[in-house]
Amino acid sequence: STYITGGRYSTPDVHVLTNRIPNRILFGFVKPQNYNGSYSTSPFVFEHANVRAISVQVGSTVIPCKPWRIDFAGDNFVEAYTNTLESLNVMSSGQDIGLSMKKWKNTHCLHAFNLSPATDTDLVDLIRRGNTTLKIDFSVAVPAEGYYLITYVQNNAILSLDASREPVVDSI
């Protein structure tokens, strides 16, 4: 997690990983009182934080290549919502996970990016080396109490047995 101080209109470059490019990245914003724990709040409420623009830099590639125009106040966030569902393979599978646009905007605003070069989810990607950086801009200043940026990455790993039948994991 990364703490984002109040009064900012953009995050400093958040270096998610500096040695390996993940297959998928998922992130969201949590209020400090939710993150630190309270009996009256839930740590599973992810705020939209009035995000205006998001980009993920993977090596020298920026995703999305054309910036989205996100405006939560004007309900203009369809690209970010559908990208999250596509990145989680929900759209292609035909499953309903019960995440409406309204629910996503108000309490479950997690952003996801599929960084895997393979389009088939059954394939294992090669381990790719490089930096993964998040850049986020806000349409209004971050509240005085700030936000915690919670980040989750997914990587493939190959589990095998060596000659003495000891498990070996091919990952970093």
Side-chain angles (χ1 to χ4, degrees), residues 49-126:
N50 292 302
V51 168
R52 181 175 52 89
I54 298 172
S55 65
V56 180
Q57 185 171 349
V58 180
S60 60
T61 305
V62 178
I63 303 170
C65 56
K66 180 183 176 194
W68 300 326
R69 292 191 176 120
I70 303 172
D71 179 16
F72 283 100
D75 286 336
N76 184 15
F77 54 87
V78 174
E79 284 178 309
Y81 170 73
T82 56
N83 183 71
T84 296
L85 294 180
E86 287 173 359
S87 296
L88 298 174
N89 297 326
V90 173
M91 302 273 286
S92 61
S93 69
Q95 295 177 348
D96 180 16
I97 60 171
L99 186 59
S100 66
M101 285 179 61
K102 182 179 179 182
K103 189 175 183 181
W104 183 79
K105 174 188 174 185
N106 294 328
T107 59
H108 291 73
C109 195
L110 289 167
H111 300 275
F113 288 89
N114 186 359
L115 308 177
S116 172
T119 56
D120 188 349
T121 57
D122 293 332
L123 298 177
V124 177
D125 293 328
L126 296 175

Side-chain angles (χ1 to χ4, degrees), residues 1-5 11-17 25-32 34-36 43 46 134 136 147-153:
S1 66
T2 303
Y3 180 70
I4 301 169
T5 56
T11 61
D13 289 353
V14 179
H15 298 288
V16 179
L17 291 174
I25 184 169
L26 182 74
F27 56 92
F29 298 94
V30 177
K31 290 182 178 178
N34 297 6
Y35 181 83
N36 294 324
F46 292 93
L134 283 175
I136 304 167
Y147 284 116
Y148 278 95
L149 173 65
I150 309 297
T151 309
Y152 168 81
V153 297

